Amino acid sequence: MPEPERLTLSGDTYVAYDFDIFPIAADFHPIAAVYVVTRRTGRGGAQEHEVLYVGETANLQEALANHPKAECISRHKAELVGVHRQEDQTSRQETVADLVAELRPPCND
C-alpha cells in the first residue's frame, strides 16, 4: 500500500503538526486523533488544501461516521481527511484550539 500524502499545518503558536491525508470516504480505524477535513484548491503545497474543519476524537471512525458538522462539510465540498494521531485528550484539545485560531476553518463556527 502506498504511503499516504503528508500535510504540515502550523497553528497560532507556530507549532507544526503533520497529518496523513486520506480520501474522506476511507475506512478509518477507531484511533485517537486530531483531524482536519479539507478540499483541494490546486494552489500547490500546504496551500493546496483549504481546511474546512478541525476536530479531535478518541474514536476517529465513530466521529466521522456521525459528524455534527456534516452538512457544512458537504456544502464546502470536502474531499480529504488529515489524521494526526494523538492519545491524550487535553493535548488534542489544545492542538485543535491552536489550529482553529490560525486557520479559522468555516465549519468550526
Side-chain angles (χ1 to χ4, degrees):
M1 179 151 76
E3 287 289 315
E5 176 185 349
R6 299 280 284 186
L7 174 65
T8 301
L9 298 170
S10 294
D12 192 49
T13 61
Y14 302 107
V15 173
Y17 305 95
D18 292 324
F19 292 84
D20 291 327
I21 301 296
F22 301 94
I24 200 164
D27 185 23
F28 292 97
H29 296 283
I31 61 168
V34 172
Y35 64 96
V36 293
V37 179
T38 75
R39 71 175 174 156
R40 291 199 189 277
T41 64
R43 291 185 230 157
Q47 294 300 317
E48 185 170 326
H49 292 267
E50 178 185 1
V51 177
L52 305 171
Y53 183 82
V54 180
E56 64 86 15
T57 183
N59 184 332
L60 184 63
Q61 183 180 49
E62 189 175 285
L64 293 174
N66 303 301
H67 205 279
K69 296 290 187 162
E71 183 180 316
C72 182
I73 289 168
S74 177
R75 186 173 63 248
H76 283 87
K77 299 178 173 53
E79 302 170 292
L80 304 162
V81 174
V83 179
H84 175 79
R85 292 182 78 139
Q86 200 168 10
E87 293 295 324
D88 181 69
Q89 182 179 15
T90 301
S91 295
R92 289 194 313 265
Q93 291 169 340
E94 290 169 355
T95 299
V96 168
D98 189 27
L99 288 167
V100 167
E102 177 64 21
L103 301 172
R104 302 179 196 278
C107 295
N108 278 85
D109 292 334

